[in-house]
Amino acid sequence: MTRIGFIGLGIMGGPMAANLVAAGYEVTGYNRSQPKIDKLIAEGGKGARTVAEAVRDADVVVTVLPDSPDVEQVVLGSDGVLANIASGALLVDFSTIRPDTTRAVDEAAAEKGVRTLDAPVSGGEQGAIDAALSIMVGGTAEAFEAGRPVLDSVGKTIVHVGPAGAGQTVKAANQLVVAGNIGLVAEAMSFLEAQGVDTEAGLRVLGGGLAGSKVLDAKGPKMADREFKPGFRLELHHKDMGIVQAAAREVGVATPLGAVATQLVAAAVAQGDGSLDHSGLFRQIARLSGRE
Amino acid sequence: MTRIGFIGLGIMGGPMAANLVAAGYEVTGYNRSQPKIDKLIAEGGKGARTVAEAVRDADVVVTVLPDSPDVEQVVLGSDGVLANIASGALLVDFSTIRPDTTRAVDEAAAEKGVRTLDAPVSGGEQGAIDAALSIMVGGTAEAFEAGRPVLDSVGKTIVHVGPAGAGQTVKAANQLVVAGNIGLVAEAMSFLEAQGVDTEAGLRVLGGGLAGSKVLDAKGPKMADREFKPGFRLELHHKDMGIVQAAAREVGVATPLGAVATQLVAAAVAQGDGSLDHSGLFRQIARLSGRE
């Protein structure tokens, strides 16, 4: 039986660990707060008191953490993952972090004889619960094949997009397009409302043409109804836009629309909307026009 | 038999007039250049030597013209449509023009006892040939019902979105979202290429998540292949972004992403790419990063 050490049992990690238990893996979980560990034990997993204990006997170590510094600390820190993991093990990081951090982790892991996959996910809490996540995977072809059964137990659309860091890079591109498109739909909705147009009919005919998108279908009606319960929180998208901007600068790529989207998301968070769904960016667009 | 006076037999108007002939209407066409009129006659229509002659005996007058000044001149000008149209007739304008111009036309028409529909289309030359256009219709409910058989003969997705000008307003929102989304996909593609990521795999996994859109599906592969044959020309989208910006200013709505998209399209046209498909906006994004 494959033994999995699982670090990070939060909104996403918790249900993912439960799905791995359900798939027959021996999962030993660690989290900073004990109740999340107790929940995993109740679901059939095991609990660890430290990262070291979770990692020591694992064939596969999984991390699901909020941000780049968390991954650096948990994986690279003293008595962290790499200080305790067995040579030959596989490290799968589902966190959304900076591609350069991912590559630094991969290099440090290689020195220990540990293979890595960066595997950021899309699909939100419901996708994690349903094991229906989209997963953008970076790493060697051999590591991808080795990790495939684990990925299949938590996701549905699983694409190997390139070497270490490539998963994070594609996730960054995803967040760029999503934030920008939410902003564009918000601008279009504000414009249609100000013009007195029936937005339900407007969304219907826009969705039937080249303006059609998943953002328009999923977020347009939320904007019309001013219903911004998360979903994916603006403050997390704010974090991700920082990753996008840093990663684009790293390779000298200008993203004029991404830069404006980044500022709009930052302004929304600064004005207190960080805990709303990212479709709540509509409020920032509306505020700019004195309409909220 | 309903008699239609048809003004503007260009790339879009030509096949639309042919479809109306095929649907059994008596179509009398006028165009500034004679060969387009000859083509309509060969297809079973009639030719007119002036706007007045095309309009005089018509139950429905159709205009398909490039820009707002063209509509003002042809409809409002001396010896134009309104100077010659019969009271009780219906004027259907398929042109993409400023909503305020449309409302001015509607008011002038009302004084003559003429009902109007603004009915800008989406779907391009192929959609016009196939009678499969999406049509965003503004006007009274009574005018919409009266015009419905004509609209059905040239389009597929036909939505009445509000009073006079509302069709133009929704088309402006459409062009805002499309231009911005093309720019976002171009930024994401430039970023992925610069990062050395497999863009085919990247587009596949992006398309499966919240970043998915018709622009991503239809234009992403064109950008990857640098294949920018029109389609819908950048110089026409440039014209439309002027309409978007003017219409948004009119109602005091700020469109920060739309403003940047407008500038990017303007720069692309200024640098000689106006005759490319609008997916050719990719070249402008790539140029900004020294990548084209």
Side-chain angles (χ1 to χ4, degrees):
Chain A
M1 178 192 275
T2 302
R3 288 162 299 187
I4 295 178
F6 200 113
I7 322 286
L9 301 166
I11 290 178
M12 298 297 286
M16 290 167 76
N19 282 324
L20 289 168
V21 170
Y25 291 101
E26 180 184 316
V27 179
T28 304
Y30 172 76
N31 197 73
R32 274 184 301 187
S33 66
Q34 184 64 35
K36 302 289 177 66
I37 299 176
D38 296 340
K39 185 162 188 291
L40 178 64
I41 293 169
E43 288 161 345
K46 296 183 173 182
R49 279 159 304 179
T50 62
V51 168
E53 193 182 324
V55 164
R56 199 168 294 133
D57 299 320
D59 306 300
V60 177
V61 171
V62 166
T63 46
V64 189
L65 298 165
D67 203 352
S68 307
D70 306 298
V71 172
E72 283 174 353
Q73 189 195 326
V74 166
V75 176
L76 304 178
S78 64
D79 216 26
V81 171
L82 290 185
N84 292 282
I85 196 170
S87 181
L90 176 69
L91 172 60
V92 182
D93 182 22
F94 288 108
S95 319
T96 294
I97 61 170
R98 296 169 53 126
D100 56 347
T101 301
T102 284
R103 285 189 290 267
V105 164
D106 179 64
E107 284 166 26
E111 289 173 15
K112 296 265 181 179
V114 170
R115 300 156 298 169
T116 76
L117 292 175
D118 48 302
V121 304
S122 168
E125 184 180 7
Q126 197 58 48
I129 292 168
D130 298 341
L133 296 165
S134 291
I135 314 182
M136 303 149 217
V137 192
T140 65
E142 186 269 334
F144 180 65
E145 283 314 308
R148 184 91 208 201
V150 169
L151 300 175
D152 281 338
S153 299
V154 298
K156 198 167 78 175
T157 305
I158 298 153
V159 182
H160 183 215
V161 292
Q168 297 300 347
T169 301
V170 174
K171 180 69 188 283
N174 185 79
Q175 297 303 76
L176 162 67
V177 172
V178 170
N181 209 1
I182 289 174
L184 286 166
V185 171
E187 291 182 11
M189 287 288 291
S190 283
F191 170 68
L192 291 175
E193 287 185 1
Q195 288 274 4
V197 168
D198 174 351
T199 52
E200 188 277 322
L203 283 172
R204 189 149 38 92
V205 70
L206 289 183
L210 192 53
S213 67
K214 296 203 182 153
V215 164
L216 189 94
D217 291 346
K219 306 300 185 184
K222 280 175 174 256
M223 295 178 193
D225 297 344
R226 307 292 195 272
E227 197 283 282
F228 303 125
K229 193 166 65 71
F232 185 74
R233 294 197 302 281
L234 265 171
E235 62 200 7
L236 286 174
H237 216 136
H238 177 53
K239 182 256 303 181
D240 291 352
M241 294 312 282
I243 293 171
V244 172
Q245 293 298 301
R249 284 179 65 90
E250 189 194 352
V251 288
V253 167
T255 58
L257 290 160
V260 172
T262 300
Q263 292 297 313
L264 291 169
V265 171
V269 171
Q271 288 174 65
D273 285 347
S275 63
L276 301 183
D277 184 70
H278 50 174
S279 56
L281 185 60
F282 175 83
R283 282 168 49 88
Q284 183 57 31
I285 298 293
R287 272 195 294 267
L288 288 173
S289 307
R291 296 184 59 79
E292 197 71 0
Chain B
M1 179 193 273
T2 302
R3 288 162 300 185
I4 295 178
F6 201 112
I7 322 286
L9 300 167
I11 290 178
M12 299 297 286
M16 291 167 76
N19 282 324
L20 288 169
V21 170
Y25 291 101
E26 180 184 314
V27 180
T28 304
Y30 172 76
N31 198 73
R32 273 183 302 188
S33 65
Q34 184 64 34
K36 303 288 177 66
I37 300 176
D38 294 340
K39 185 161 187 294
L40 177 65
I41 293 170
E43 289 162 344
K46 297 184 176 182
R49 278 160 304 180
T50 62
V51 168
E53 192 181 325
V55 163
R56 199 168 295 133
D57 299 319
D59 306 299
V60 178
V61 172
V62 166
T63 45
V64 189
L65 298 165
D67 203 351
S68 307
D70 306 299
V71 172
E72 283 174 353
Q73 189 195 326
V74 166
V75 176
L76 304 178
S78 63
D79 216 26
V81 171
L82 290 185
N84 292 282
I85 195 170
S87 183
L90 176 69
L91 171 60
V92 182
D93 182 22
F94 288 110
S95 319
T96 294
I97 61 170
R98 297 170 53 128
D100 56 345
T101 300
T102 284
R103 286 189 288 268
V105 164
D106 178 65
E107 283 167 26
E111 288 173 17
K112 296 265 181 179
V114 170
R115 299 156 299 169
T116 76
L117 293 174
D118 49 302
V121 303
S122 169
E125 184 179 6
Q126 196 59 48
I129 292 169
D130 298 341
L133 296 165
S134 292
I135 314 182
M136 301 149 219
V137 191
T140 64
E142 186 269 332
F144 180 65
E145 283 315 308
R148 184 91 207 200
V150 168
L151 301 175
D152 281 338
S153 300
V154 297
K156 198 167 78 176
T157 305
I158 299 154
V159 182
H160 183 215
V161 292
Q168 297 300 348
T169 300
V170 175
K171 178 70 187 283
N174 184 80
Q175 297 303 76
L176 163 67
V177 171
V178 169
N181 209 2
I182 289 174
L184 287 165
V185 171
E187 290 182 12
M189 287 289 291
S190 283
F191 170 68
L192 291 176
E193 287 185 1
Q195 288 274 5
V197 168
D198 174 352
T199 52
E200 188 278 322
L203 283 172
R204 189 149 37 92
V205 71
L206 289 183
L210 192 52
S213 68
K214 295 203 183 153
V215 164
L216 188 94
D217 291 346
K219 307 299 186 185
K222 281 175 174 257
M223 294 177 194
D225 296 344
R226 308 292 196 272
E227 197 283 283
F228 302 125
K229 191 165 66 71
F232 185 73
R233 295 197 303 281
L234 266 170
E235 62 199 8
L236 285 174
H237 215 136
H238 176 53
K239 182 256 302 181
D240 290 352
M241 294 311 281
I243 293 171
V244 172
Q245 293 299 300
R249 285 179 65 90
E250 187 194 353
V251 288
V253 167
T255 58
L257 290 160
V260 172
T262 300
Q263 291 297 313
L264 291 169
V265 171
V269 171
Q271 289 174 64
D273 286 348
S275 62
L276 301 183
D277 184 69
H278 51 172
S279 57
L281 185 60
F282 175 83
R283 282 168 49 90
Q284 182 57 30
I285 299 293
R287 272 195 294 266
L288 287 173
S289 305
R291 296 183 58 80
E292 196 72 359

